[in-house]
Amino acid sequence: MHPLIRTARTTGLFYLGLGIAGALGFLTIRPMIFEAGDAGATLANLVANESLARLGVAFELLVVLTQTLAAVWFYRLFRSVDSIAAGSIAAFGIVNAVAILGSAAMLGTALGVATGEAGGAADTVQLLYLVSENLWAVGGLFFGLWLMPMGWCVLRSGWLPRALGWILVAGGVGYVLMTFVRYLAPGAGIATDLLVVPATVGELWILGYLVIFGVRKRALTETPRTTPTTPFTAASTA
């Protein structure tokens, strides 16, 4: 197997692992434990489903692990295309992973409080879950920032469909805007959800393409276009 295809598929597998861990931990297990506005119910759910709650913490740690590995492998994949943009993917992805690491620590602390390891109180557990939720929310800023240079590298390399690159850039912008809208206009409702639709489409597309195809066959014989300074100077000369 060509090294470029191997790197692309490995990157895709790490990204797939990130998606699965996030879907199971944040989107599936968390709603089964956390009841917004009802501290007593959250505490009761946590005590009654301790093993499930511990699994939720484990999935959050898997999010951190897989996003960190995906960030590093995206850098390996795109560093010959644009080293600054590739480094930005790695840096922003790791910062987002650190935010989720903080969330996992909060959930672990909540579990300890609920099970009597640190003295229990429903309000304390609820507060920890709310902080955890907000760590995910503010981490969305860096999740958006990691999608934008990812889309840029797709556009510059020519190794993947160009439409995918534009969708990733749009998705990154949408995630950044969503992070601000969440706090500036908390009643925005469906408008907030629509902002992240391009990101969802782009993520599913790129991880599927990387895992199944790796890169376009022509990329194996082409020399990628490189950027001598920054992505912005390259944009002005493209």
Side-chain angles (χ1 to χ4, degrees):
M1 183 185 296
H2 193 282
L4 184 59
I5 291 180
R6 186 184 306 113
T7 299
R9 286 182 172 167
T10 301
T11 305
L13 288 172
F14 285 142
Y15 210 161
L16 178 61
L18 169 60
I20 292 173
L24 292 177
F26 187 77
L27 298 179
T28 304
I29 294 178
R30 178 183 293 257
M32 298 171 68
I33 303 293
F34 177 62
E35 293 288 344
D38 192 339
T42 299
L43 178 61
N45 290 340
L46 197 54
V47 172
N49 301 282
E50 181 180 344
S51 296
L52 185 64
R54 293 188 184 279
L55 189 60
V57 176
F59 276 123
E60 295 225 342
L61 292 174
L62 279 174
V63 168
V64 174
L65 177 63
T66 52
Q67 181 162 24
T68 301
L69 291 172
V72 172
W73 255 256
F74 268 117
Y75 173 75
R76 291 187 62 181
L77 179 63
F78 289 128
R79 63 185 173 182
S80 64
V81 176
D82 187 322
S83 61
I84 293 178
S88 297
I89 300 172
F92 296 147
I94 290 172
V95 170
N96 186 73
V98 170
I100 308 308
L101 186 65
S103 170
M106 291 291 174
L107 296 188
T109 305
L111 186 60
V113 170
T115 56
E117 295 174 13
D123 289 342
T124 302
V125 167
Q126 193 76 352
L127 176 62
L128 289 166
Y129 263 83
L130 287 170
V131 174
S132 167
E133 186 176 76
N134 278 277
L135 281 168
W136 274 85
V138 298
L141 179 67
F142 280 93
F143 193 80
L145 289 175
W146 104 308
L147 289 177
M148 285 188 275
M150 187 186 302
W152 172 260
C153 286
V154 169
L155 291 169
R156 290 291 298 170
S157 68
W159 296 342
L160 294 92
R162 286 187 61 82
L164 170 58
W166 289 116
I167 288 175
L168 287 170
V169 171
V173 172
Y175 246 99
V176 170
L177 291 176
M178 182 270 294
T179 305
F180 284 96
V181 169
R182 178 185 176 93
Y183 293 102
L184 294 174
I190 191 171
T192 305
D193 297 331
L194 290 175
L195 285 172
V196 301
V197 169
T200 301
V201 173
E203 285 189 279
L204 291 174
W205 189 353
I206 192 170
L207 73 86
Y209 199 98
L210 290 173
V211 170
I212 297 171
F213 302 108
V215 294
R216 287 174 167 170
K217 290 183 178 179
R218 70 182 186 188
L220 306 182
T221 57
E222 288 181 347
T223 300
R225 292 175 293 172
T226 57
T227 306
T229 51
T230 70
F232 304 103
T233 57
S236 66
T237 59

